[in-house]
Amino acid sequence: MSCSLRPVGRAQRAPLERLVRATDRFRESEVRTAVELLDEALAGDDDYRFVGAYEGEALVGYACWGPTPGTEGTHDLYWIVVAPERQGAGIGRTLLADVERKLTADGGRLLVAETSGRADYAPTRAFYEKHGFIRAATVPGYYAPADDLVIYTKDLTDGELARAAP
Ligand SMILES: CC(C)(COP(=O)(O)OP(=O)(O)OC[C@H]1O[C@@H](n2cnc3c(N)ncnc32)[C@H](O)[C@@H]1OP(=O)(O)O)[C@@H](O)C(=O)NCCC(=O)NCCS
Protein backbone atom coordinates (compact mmCIF):
# COMPACT_ATOMS: atom_id res chain seq x y z
CA MET A 1 0.00 0.00 0.00
CA SER A 2 1.42 3.39 -0.89
CA CYS A 3 1.48 6.13 1.69
CA SER A 4 0.50 9.76 1.40
CA LEU A 5 2.08 12.70 3.19
CA ARG A 6 -0.08 15.10 5.17
CA PRO A 7 0.24 17.40 8.18
CA VAL A 8 0.10 15.90 11.67
CA GLY A 9 -2.95 17.27 13.47
CA ARG A 10 -4.37 17.11 16.97
CA ALA A 11 -6.21 13.88 16.08
CA GLN A 12 -2.85 12.18 15.57
CA ARG A 13 -1.53 13.03 19.04
CA ALA A 14 -2.30 9.62 20.55
CA PRO A 15 -1.40 7.67 17.38
CA LEU A 16 1.94 9.48 17.25
CA GLU A 17 2.64 8.60 20.87
CA ARG A 18 1.81 4.93 20.18
CA LEU A 19 3.96 4.98 17.06
CA VAL A 20 7.05 6.31 18.83
CA ARG A 21 6.61 3.88 21.72
CA ALA A 22 6.06 0.93 19.37
CA THR A 23 9.52 1.31 17.82
CA ASP A 24 11.01 0.24 21.18
CA ARG A 25 13.88 2.63 20.49
CA PHE A 26 13.03 5.48 22.80
CA ARG A 27 12.94 5.93 26.56
CA GLU A 28 9.59 7.01 28.06
CA SER A 29 11.00 10.51 28.60
CA GLU A 30 11.79 10.68 24.89
CA VAL A 31 8.29 9.50 24.00
CA ARG A 32 6.92 12.35 26.11
CA THR A 33 9.26 14.80 24.41
CA ALA A 34 8.06 13.68 20.98
CA VAL A 35 4.46 14.43 22.00
CA GLU A 36 5.43 17.75 23.60
CA LEU A 37 7.05 18.88 20.38
CA LEU A 38 3.82 18.11 18.53
CA ASP A 39 1.87 20.07 21.16
CA GLU A 40 4.17 23.05 20.66
CA ALA A 41 3.83 22.85 16.88
CA LEU A 42 0.03 22.66 17.16
CA ALA A 43 0.13 25.71 19.45
CA GLY A 44 1.82 27.61 16.63
CA ASP A 45 5.51 27.24 17.48
CA ASP A 46 7.30 27.33 14.12
CA ASP A 47 10.49 25.88 15.62
CA TYR A 48 9.00 22.40 15.25
CA ARG A 49 7.57 21.25 11.95
CA PHE A 50 5.89 17.94 11.26
CA VAL A 51 4.91 15.83 8.32
CA GLY A 52 3.04 12.55 8.63
CA ALA A 53 2.95 9.48 6.40
CA TYR A 54 -0.49 7.89 6.21
CA GLU A 55 -1.92 4.69 4.87
CA GLY A 56 -5.57 5.56 4.57
CA GLU A 57 -6.28 7.37 7.84
CA ALA A 58 -3.58 5.53 9.79
CA LEU A 59 -0.41 7.38 10.77
CA VAL A 60 2.44 5.01 9.84
CA GLY A 61 5.36 7.42 10.18
CA TYR A 62 6.34 11.01 10.71
CA ALA A 63 9.25 13.41 10.67
CA CYS A 64 9.84 16.41 12.92
CA TRP A 65 12.44 19.03 12.15
CA GLY A 66 13.20 22.69 12.80
CA PRO A 67 15.72 25.47 12.49
CA THR A 68 18.76 25.12 14.73
CA PRO A 69 18.93 28.19 17.00
CA GLY A 70 21.90 30.46 16.41
CA THR A 71 22.67 29.18 12.91
CA GLU A 72 22.09 30.35 9.36
CA GLY A 73 20.08 27.79 7.46
CA THR A 74 20.97 24.77 9.60
CA HIS A 75 18.09 22.52 10.64
CA ASP A 76 17.79 19.62 13.03
CA LEU A 77 15.96 16.47 12.05
CA TYR A 78 14.61 15.80 15.53
CA TRP A 79 12.65 12.64 14.79
CA ILE A 80 12.00 10.36 11.90
CA VAL A 81 9.96 7.33 12.83
CA VAL A 82 8.21 4.59 10.88
CA ALA A 83 5.88 1.98 12.40
CA PRO A 84 7.88 -1.22 13.00
CA GLU A 85 5.64 -3.34 10.78
CA ARG A 86 6.05 -0.84 7.92
CA GLN A 87 9.80 -0.26 8.10
CA GLY A 88 11.93 -1.06 5.07
CA ALA A 89 9.16 -0.18 2.62
CA GLY A 90 10.45 3.26 1.60
CA ILE A 91 8.31 5.33 3.98
CA GLY A 92 11.35 6.79 5.78
CA ARG A 93 12.89 7.68 2.45
CA THR A 94 9.65 9.40 1.38
CA LEU A 95 9.47 11.41 4.62
CA LEU A 96 13.10 12.45 4.43
CA ALA A 97 12.76 13.53 0.80
CA ASP A 98 9.78 15.70 1.74
CA VAL A 99 11.68 17.35 4.60
CA GLU A 100 14.64 18.03 2.32
CA ARG A 101 12.42 19.43 -0.43
CA LYS A 102 10.78 21.85 2.01
CA LEU A 103 14.10 22.90 3.50
CA THR A 104 15.75 23.44 0.14
CA ALA A 105 12.79 25.58 -1.00
CA ASP A 106 13.20 27.53 2.24
CA GLY A 107 16.93 28.22 1.91
CA GLY A 108 18.02 25.44 4.27
CA ARG A 109 21.72 24.59 3.97
CA LEU A 110 22.56 21.84 6.41
CA LEU A 111 20.47 19.08 7.95
CA VAL A 112 21.70 17.54 11.20
CA ALA A 113 20.56 14.22 12.65
CA GLU A 114 21.75 12.89 15.98
CA THR A 115 21.56 9.25 16.87
CA SER A 116 23.13 6.63 19.05
CA GLY A 117 26.26 4.61 18.29
CA ARG A 118 24.77 1.51 19.96
CA ALA A 119 24.63 -1.71 17.97
CA ASP A 120 20.84 -1.73 17.95
CA TYR A 121 20.90 1.62 16.13
CA ALA A 122 22.90 0.20 13.21
CA PRO A 123 19.79 0.19 10.94
CA THR A 124 19.16 3.85 11.74
CA ARG A 125 22.77 4.77 10.93
CA ALA A 126 22.54 2.72 7.74
CA PHE A 127 19.43 4.68 6.79
CA TYR A 128 21.21 8.04 7.19
CA GLU A 129 24.34 6.85 5.40
CA LYS A 130 22.25 5.51 2.53
CA HIS A 131 20.64 8.92 2.16
CA GLY A 132 23.68 11.10 1.81
CA PHE A 133 24.40 11.96 5.43
CA ILE A 134 28.00 11.90 6.54
CA ARG A 135 29.14 10.89 9.99
CA ALA A 136 30.42 14.29 11.09
CA ALA A 137 31.25 13.60 14.75
CA THR A 138 31.07 11.08 17.54
CA VAL A 139 30.86 11.98 21.22
CA PRO A 140 31.92 8.92 23.22
CA GLY A 141 29.73 8.02 26.20
CA TYR A 142 27.34 10.92 25.58
CA TYR A 143 24.02 9.20 26.29
CA ALA A 144 25.36 6.70 28.81
CA PRO A 145 28.53 4.66 29.36
CA ALA A 146 29.34 2.98 26.03
CA ASP A 147 26.41 4.78 24.38
CA ASP A 148 27.92 7.34 22.01
CA LEU A 149 26.28 10.28 20.30
CA VAL A 150 26.74 10.10 16.53
CA ILE A 151 26.10 13.32 14.63
CA TYR A 152 25.19 13.03 10.97
CA THR A 153 25.02 15.98 8.60
CA LYS A 154 23.71 16.37 5.10
CA ASP A 155 24.67 19.23 2.80
CA LEU A 156 21.50 20.53 1.17
CA THR A 157 23.36 22.96 -1.10
CA ASP A 158 24.59 20.50 -3.69
CA GLY A 159 28.19 20.77 -2.56
CA GLU A 160 28.36 24.49 -1.84
CA LEU A 161 29.25 23.89 1.80
CA ALA A 162 32.19 21.68 0.90
CA ARG A 163 33.42 24.12 -1.75
CA ALA A 164 33.27 27.01 0.70
CA ALA A 165 35.45 25.12 3.20
CA PRO A 166 38.93 26.62 3.77
C1 LIG B 1 15.14 4.78 10.50
C2 LIG B 1 13.74 4.67 9.91
C3 LIG B 1 13.01 6.01 10.06
C4 LIG B 1 13.86 4.32 8.41
O1 LIG B 1 12.58 4.29 7.84
P1 LIG B 1 12.18 3.08 6.84
O2 LIG B 1 10.85 3.38 6.28
O3 LIG B 1 12.36 1.79 7.56
O4 LIG B 1 13.33 3.21 5.73
P2 LIG B 1 13.19 3.00 4.17
O5 LIG B 1 12.36 1.78 3.90
O6 LIG B 1 12.78 4.26 3.52
O7 LIG B 1 14.68 2.67 3.82
C5 LIG B 1 15.40 3.41 2.90
C6 LIG B 1 16.83 2.89 2.84
O8 LIG B 1 17.47 2.89 4.13
C7 LIG B 1 18.16 1.66 4.33
N1 LIG B 1 17.66 0.95 5.48
C8 LIG B 1 16.47 1.10 6.08
N2 LIG B 1 16.34 0.22 7.08
C9 LIG B 1 17.49 -0.49 7.08
C10 LIG B 1 17.95 -1.56 7.87
N3 LIG B 1 17.21 -2.09 8.85
N4 LIG B 1 19.19 -2.06 7.63
C11 LIG B 1 19.94 -1.54 6.62
N5 LIG B 1 19.54 -0.54 5.83
C12 LIG B 1 18.33 -0.04 6.07
C13 LIG B 1 17.92 0.78 3.18
O9 LIG B 1 19.17 0.66 2.52
C14 LIG B 1 16.91 1.48 2.32
O10 LIG B 1 17.40 1.57 1.04
P3 LIG B 1 16.66 0.89 -0.20
O11 LIG B 1 15.44 1.73 -0.39
O12 LIG B 1 17.64 1.01 -1.29
O13 LIG B 1 16.35 -0.51 0.21
C15 LIG B 1 12.90 3.55 10.58
O14 LIG B 1 13.56 2.31 10.39
C16 LIG B 1 12.61 3.77 12.04
O15 LIG B 1 11.58 4.33 12.39
N6 LIG B 1 13.48 3.29 12.95
C17 LIG B 1 13.24 3.40 14.38
C18 LIG B 1 13.25 4.82 14.86
C19 LIG B 1 14.56 5.51 14.62
O16 LIG B 1 15.63 4.98 14.88
N7 LIG B 1 14.47 6.77 14.14
C20 LIG B 1 15.64 7.60 13.88
C21 LIG B 1 16.06 8.40 15.06
S1 LIG B 1 14.85 9.66 15.49
Side-chain angles (χ1 to χ4, degrees):
M1 188 193 241
S2 69
C3 70
S4 60
L5 300 182
R6 296 201 297 273
V8 181
R10 202 164 301 280
Q12 280 82 44
R13 192 178 188 277
L16 181 144
E17 181 173 353
R18 283 196 294 274
L19 183 65
V20 175
R21 189 173 286 122
T23 64
D24 240 357
R25 275 294 150 74
F26 304 105
R27 289 184 284 273
E28 264 312 296
S29 61
E30 294 175 306
V31 176
R32 280 198 301 278
T33 302
V35 178
E36 281 166 18
L37 297 191
L38 177 63
D39 287 341
E40 297 203 18
L42 292 172
D45 187 340
D46 200 32
D47 286 343
Y48 304 109
R49 300 160 194 182
F50 283 74
V51 62
Y54 297 82
E55 287 178 346
E57 292 307 306
L59 183 74
V60 292
Y62 82 98
C64 167
W65 72 101
T68 308
T71 68
E72 286 177 21
T74 298
H75 288 71
D76 281 299
L77 181 63
Y78 293 115
W79 304 81
I80 182 162
V81 177
V82 173
E85 68 279 10
R86 302 298 296 122
Q87 289 176 10
I91 296 171
R93 181 177 54 223
T94 303
L95 284 165
L96 181 61
D98 188 67
V99 172
E100 291 179 8
R101 195 165 43 242
K102 288 175 168 130
L103 286 178
T104 304
D106 215 20
R109 293 182 313 114
L110 188 69
L111 185 57
V112 179
E114 297 186 352
T115 191
S116 164
R118 274 184 1 225
D120 53 332
Y121 276 80
T124 300
R125 295 192 300 275
F127 173 78
Y128 290 132
E129 287 165 17
K130 173 99 190 183
H131 290 92
F133 284 80
I134 59 163
R135 191 172 174 142
T138 302
V139 184
Y142 179 84
Y143 291 111
D147 188 353
D148 302 345
L149 164 66
V150 181
I151 303 173
Y152 281 100
T153 62
K154 182 166 183 177
D155 180 356
L156 300 176
T157 68
D158 204 19
E160 194 184 302
L161 294 184
R163 284 196 294 276

